[in-house]
Amino acid sequence: MAAQQILVIDEGTTSTRAMLFGADGKLHGSQQEELQQYYPSPGLVEHDAAEIWDKTLRCCKKMIEQAGGAEKIAAIGITNQRETIVAWDKRTGEPLSKAIVWQDRRTAPICDELKAKGLEPMVQTKTGLLLDPYFSGSKIGWMLKNWPEVSAAGDNLAFGTIDSYLIFRLTDGQHITDASNASRTMLMALDAMDWDDELLELFDIPRKALPKIVDCAGDLGKTSAALFGAPIAISGSAGDQQAATIGQACLEVGQTKATFGTGAFILTNSGDTPPRSEHRLLSTVLYQLDGKRTYALEGSVFVAGSLMQWLRDDIGLLKFAGESEDLARSVDDTGGVYLVPALSGLGAPYWQADAKAAISGLSFSTTKAHIIRAALEAMSYQCHDLKTAFLADGTDWQSLRIDGGMVANDWLVQDLADILDIPVERPEFFETTALGAAMLASVGCGIHASLREASVMISGLDENRAAIEASLRETRLAGWKKAVQGVLAD
C-alpha cells in the first residue's frame, strides 16, 4: 500500500513543530521546540534562522522515525509565519544575519517616507497591501542597506520568507516560494505571476536574489536523501493564515475564519477576483492551484496570544496562560479597565506603527483579574473593529470560525460571540493551520483530488451564540472606542 502519512512543518513565531497526519486528518504525532525571540531594542524583533533550521530538522527526524521511516511519508506540507525575512548564502544555505520578524517595526521611517511621496495608493492597487513595516519588502531593502554581510554576498545572496528558506535547505538548493507567501512581500502584484519591477525598484531589491513563485500544491521538490534516509516529496506550502483558512474549510466565497495565535488574523474567502478595500483591510492570495488563484480579504491584529505571553513572562500577572480563564471568570466585569494591546503598534484597521499600548480606567479597586479580563476582552474588541471594516467593504460575516491556541479558553470564545453578535464556531481540532498544510500536501501528492475532497480531514464544530443584552455590548464597545482614541491621540 502506498504511503498515506503526511508530515507537516508548522514553523510559527514562537515555536517550530513537525506533525504527522493520516489521510483522514487524524493527528498521529507532534514534536515541538520553542524558538528564541531577540529584541535588540524597542520595536525590533529578530530570529536566529540557523536555530529555526536546526530545530525544524530535529523535530522532523523524530516524526519520521515515529512514522517508520521516510518511505512511510507520502508528502511534506509546510506552513509558516509570514513576512519574516531570511537572507542566506546560496552556496551553503547558511543565514547571513538574523531574520527580521513580521512584528519588527524598524522600517517604519522608510514606509512613512514613501507615504509622504504619495506612493501608498500605487502599492495598494498593485499588491492589496498598505505601506507598513509589517510586510517583507521594506525589511529586505533595509537589510541590503544596513547589514554589510548581506549586501556583500553579491550573486550568492538569497532572500526568502521562512517557507522559502526551509525548502532551500531541505532540497539542497530549490529556491521557490508559494504564491500565498509571495503576496505578503509587497513585491508581487496580486494579478501577476512574478515579481513586479516597479516594486523591486521602490525598495532597491535585486530580482536575482528572490525565489521563483509557484503553486501552493504540487511538485515543490524533494528532500535531500541525506537528511532523512530517502527523498520525501514536498507537495504543499502556504502562509500560516492562509493554511488555517483552508483548514477551516473556508472554501466558498464569504466564509470567514479568525486565528488567535501570536497575533490575530481574520480572512474571508473572496473567490477568484482580488478584493479591493476602501477601509484599510488587506487583499491577499489565499491559495494558488494549477496557476489559478483564490483570494481573500484580511484584517491583521499584531498582538493576541503574545499579549498573554507578555503578561505571564514579563509582567508576572499570570503563572501560566490557562490561568487567564479562571481569572476572567472570577470578576463580573473589568471594573472599567480597558487594555489596548499596541505592543507592536496597531494593525488593521488603524495601521499606526508607532502606537503604544495602554491600560486605562485603573483604580485602587483594580486587581490582576480585572486586568487579565480586560486583556481577553481586547481580543473581542479588536475583532469587532475588523467586523465593522469588513462590513464597510461590503463583506458581512454571517458566522466566524475560530482557531489557534487562545481558543482553548471557553470564556474568550463566549465573549467573542457576545461582542460580535454572530455564531462563533470552534473546531474539535484546534490546529487548523497545520491541518490546512496537510490538506494542500494531500492534494499536491494525489491522495485527494481537490481541497473540497480533502476537507474530509476536518473534524466537527461547536457553536457559541451571543448571551448578553445589546445595551451592555454597546456600552462596552463605547468604552473600547474611547480607549483606542486615547492611544491614537498620543
Side-chain angles (χ1 to χ4, degrees), residues 11 52 80-81 84-86 99 160-167:
E11 203 288 309
I52 290 173
N80 57 285
Q81 52 166 308
T84 296
I85 280 295
V86 183
T161 43
I162 297 294
D163 61 304
S164 183
Y165 169 67
L166 290 177
I167 290 172

Side-chain angles (χ1 to χ4, degrees), residues 184-204:
R184 310 298 295 185
T185 61
M186 204 183 283
L187 301 175
M188 181 195 81
L190 279 175
D191 57 357
M193 307 305 285
D194 201 355
W195 307 111
D196 184 273
D197 288 330
E198 186 175 12
L199 295 170
L200 293 178
E201 185 178 347
L202 191 67
F203 298 105
D204 199 18

